[in-house]
Amino acid sequence: MSTETTPIVEINGVSKRFGSFAAVDNVTLSIGQGEFFALLGPSGCGKTTLLRMLAGLELPTEGRLIIDGQDMSGVPANQRPVNMVFQSYAVFPHMSVLDNVGYGLKVSGVQRPEIRERAQEALALVKLGDFGQRMPDQLSGGQRQRVALARALVKRPKVLLLDEPLSALDAKLREQMRLELVNLQETVGITFVIVTHDQDEALSMASRIAVMEAGQVRQLAPPAELYEFPKTRFVADFIGSVNMFEGRVEAVEKDVIRLACPGLERPIEVEQTDTPPVGATAWAALRPEKIEISKEPPSDPTENATPGRIEEITYLGEVSIYHVRVSEALPLVKVAMANVDRVTRRPFTWEDEVYLSWTRQCGVVLDR
Amino acid sequence: MNLAALFRHREPIGPLEYTRRTWMRLTLLATFVFLYAPIVTLVAFSFNDSRRNIVWRGFSLKYYEKALANDGLIEAFVNSLTIAFVQTIIATILGALTALLLWRFRFPFRGGYEGAMALPIVIPEICMGVAMLAFFSRVGWPTDLPWPLNLSAITIAHVSFSFPFVAVVVRARLEGFNREFSEAAQDLGASEWQVFRDVMVPFMRPGLVAGALLAFTLSLDDFVITFFTSGPDTVTFPVKVYSMVRFSVTPEVNAASTVLIALTVVLTVLALWLQSRAKLKPEEVAG
């Protein structure tokens, strides 16, 4: 959806090297006007460096950055049409909330009455309208973050950069802030670029996600596509939880791949258009919630099925994770089942001999 | 009620209740005695109605009057304060800039520079004094300038030994600086100078105040280095006291010292008060 809109940010072959180490390695991508874009990856994958290059706080070793049609090389941080919400929020401790929010306007020479008015407006936007006279040390972490948000939005940037904005908040507040950030983004219509290592955060907020590893973008896709059709084992494993079966491609018939996996009696069958060649080593990636547990083998012969034994059960409230031994040669298979009934009436228990089954439309076969 | 109080008294001493331990109380007492007994004696005998500091003969303010009437003592006092004020301003600025330089930039021989800068802290004062004497006579520093320019040699000497203290204090403060503060200001459109003025200086303020206070007191009571750099017309308070004491310790010296102590205490309290006020309401102080 977003690829059709005009790009506001274009990153062209950008690298950042520290000696021989490449923190960001030849990244090319574009971000559309009004998008909520997430850079997702483990720590040290280069996502923050990329964000800081957009802000102008780091300079790329190679490549070009274009924001709103303007080449950013040679444009210092204080003249770029972007603003940033820092991981530590960096709310100036010696200024009141209102002065903090108005600071960006003050240094750009806006008149005092207008500063007051616009800062107050921005504070109202983040629901801190009555907090203008407070000092930062009189605020909670969540409130400080809102101040940082208002301060970055008050200058009406073309792009708002957010560096791990929710990582310092507690779980409940984090969930609430996700919704608020999405609403805020819709209200102000500014392009948001967020850096996060939390996949839930990226999945729940972003319109598109770039998964990064070792300085490179491994996959760029909307959340659902990323979750259902990961392109590499790294992405499959990093986004959500996954069971991985290594095997050899035995046959490909009418878009159905047959993957022979050592340790499983029957080969795994997966419907997929993009198929690796016969004889190649490949991995079947299967989400825990797509597998069903039953006492009897499934009646449909086209369905994948394997017998197993429940070894562990992890109770997580809304779901239980069953760890099932299908073969001594394979790691335990994780199966997620919603706790529809109360736990006292759990249908399966430890040491039960069961069948695991899943349809051909579940899971993907990956060759990388 | 009584019973409860009795039980509370008999509670065993907890692991963190240091104030209830006898050895702790004794140590505290000893500390106070060693620290303050001489000062208390000095202050008390400044009110003594006797020529000697040995026997208490009754309360009197006559030595304060005498000290005030002693032109040489007053002149030395004014000299000391003038030097202290001027050199504190210079040393604070110089020290803060040095600390910023060492904190902010990487350059060849930075470690060497940092060590060389801190040398005046560790070099014996007597060596510094001799060095200063040798330096000023070598360059032929004029000694017959009118007041207050005749204090310039002492002021320079004081700056050179007190600015490293300011630098060390401010440097320590800067270690706790979150670079995201300056980056945020930059990101919001502030120039280098605006970042410095609006973010760095307010952050350094407690270090600056502490450093300035340190520099001021160091200058005010310095004897050794001043002794080598002062001439007959540029006597400072400590040097003057020394010359007075060589004849006899009179309550007059006590009185003058008490005034100095009072002044230092008042200045310290003032600085601390300013600092706590700055912490509560910075915009009021700034505006």
Side-chain angles (χ1 to χ4, degrees), chain A residues 190-207:
Chain A
I190 292 171
T191 307
F192 278 32
V193 180
I194 184 175
V195 154
T196 178
H197 66 270
D198 184 338
Q199 36 132 344
D200 290 339
E201 220 166 279
L203 289 177
S204 61
M205 294 195 291
S207 56

Side-chain angles (χ1 to χ4, degrees), chain A residues 52 83-84 88 94 103 155, chain B residues 178 180 183 187-188 198 282:
Chain A
R52 287 171 61 84
N83 283 122
M84 187 152 164
S88 68
H94 57 282
Y103 184 73
K155 288 192 78 183
Chain B
N178 176 358
E180 288 195 346
E183 286 177 353
D187 180 67
L188 290 165
D198 299 339

Side-chain angles (χ1 to χ4, degrees), chain A residues 52 55 57 77-78 82-84 86-96 99 103-104 106-107 135 151-152 155, chain B residues 178 180-192 194-195 197-199 202-203 205 278-283:
Chain A
R52 287 171 61 84
L57 298 169
N78 55 5
V82 300
N83 283 122
M84 187 152 164
F86 288 83
Q87 186 168 11
S88 68
Y89 312 146
V91 174
F92 306 132
H94 57 282
M95 291 185 199
S96 72
D99 288 347
Y103 184 73
K106 191 184 131 201
V107 292
M135 294 307 289
R151 187 177 68 178
K155 288 192 78 183
Chain B
N178 176 358
E180 288 195 346
F181 285 136
S182 57
E183 286 177 353
Q186 212 185 336
D187 180 67
L188 290 165
S191 63
E192 292 254 348
Q194 284 167 325
V195 172
R197 188 194 60 194
D198 299 339
V199 179
F203 183 84
R205 189 177 288 142
K279 210 173 159 191
L280 288 175
K281 286 175 186 165
E283 75 270 48

Side-chain angles (χ1 to χ4, degrees), chain B residues 47-80:
Chain B
F47 299 107
N48 192 8
D49 191 9
S50 159
R51 282 214 29 82
R52 302 245 195 102
N53 274 338
I54 304 162
V55 195
W56 182 256
R57 285 271 172 79
F59 183 85
S60 158
L61 284 174
K62 77 174 181 204
Y63 287 103
Y64 282 86
E65 285 164 28
K66 215 173 162 190
L68 275 173
N70 185 336
D71 287 341
L73 195 63
I74 293 298
E75 193 195 318
F77 202 77
V78 171
N79 279 350
S80 266

Side-chain angles (χ1 to χ4, degrees), chain A residues 276-336:
Chain A
V278 173
T281 304
W283 294 265
L286 202 56
R287 300 287 183 201
E289 75 278 7
K290 304 245 187 317
I291 306 176
E292 243 182 277
I293 303 183
S294 53
K295 290 256 193 278
E296 306 294 326
S299 49
D300 186 350
T302 64
E303 238 177 74
N304 293 291
T306 179
R309 201 158 108 97
I310 296 173
E311 286 206 352
E312 292 290 343
I313 302 174
T314 316
Y315 177 68
L316 294 176
E318 73 265 43
V319 292
S320 291
I321 308 289
Y322 294 81
H323 300 262
V324 181
R325 174 74 68 197
V326 295
S327 156
E328 286 306 320
L330 293 174
L332 293 171
V333 175
K334 287 171 287 197
V335 181

